[in-house]
Amino acid sequence: MDTLKYSYFSNDIYKRWTNGDCYYCAFYDGSVVEYDARHDPKRLIVVDYYHLKDDVLKFRTGELDFDQFDNVDYF
């Protein structure tokens, strides 16, 4: 997996947010990446691009969690 493509400091990020000790980024391609405290990528999921705005809101409010997805990839 290309860790540079999913860098926390990338210019291709739709939205960034935090939850506890983890950082998250949603990318315009529909990827959502979870990072550790040092901004190193840990897990990646791909959501439907057309629902990205709604899914990001659900992640930020706690309605969605990475553990709810079957298609989780690890770095």
Side-chain angles (χ1 to χ4, degrees):
M1 201 168 310
D2 186 4
T3 56
L4 290 177
K5 178 180 178 183
Y6 297 112
S7 169
Y8 184 78
F9 304 102
S10 172
N11 291 328
D12 194 30
I13 295 176
Y14 168 71
K15 188 65 106 175
R16 289 183 182 94
W17 70 96
T18 61
N19 186 1
D21 293 339
C22 294
Y23 296 87
Y24 298 89
C25 288
F27 292 82
Y28 285 106
D29 67 355
S31 303
V32 180
V33 179
E34 179 183 60
Y35 301 87
D36 63 16
R38 297 181 328 158
H39 299 114
D40 293 328
K42 292 175 22 179
R43 300 190 287 179
L44 171 133
I45 59 168
V46 178
V47 298
D48 186 359
Y49 171 79
Y50 297 103
H51 298 121
L52 184 61
K53 181 179 176 182
D54 294 332
D55 287 345
V56 167
L57 181 61
K58 288 178 183 177
F59 271 113
R60 294 179 75 186
T61 60
E63 291 178 54
L64 276 179
D65 188 75
F66 265 73
D67 297 328
Q68 293 175 280
F69 290 86
D70 294 331
N71 62 339
V72 177
D73 288 324
Y74 294 85
F75 285 91

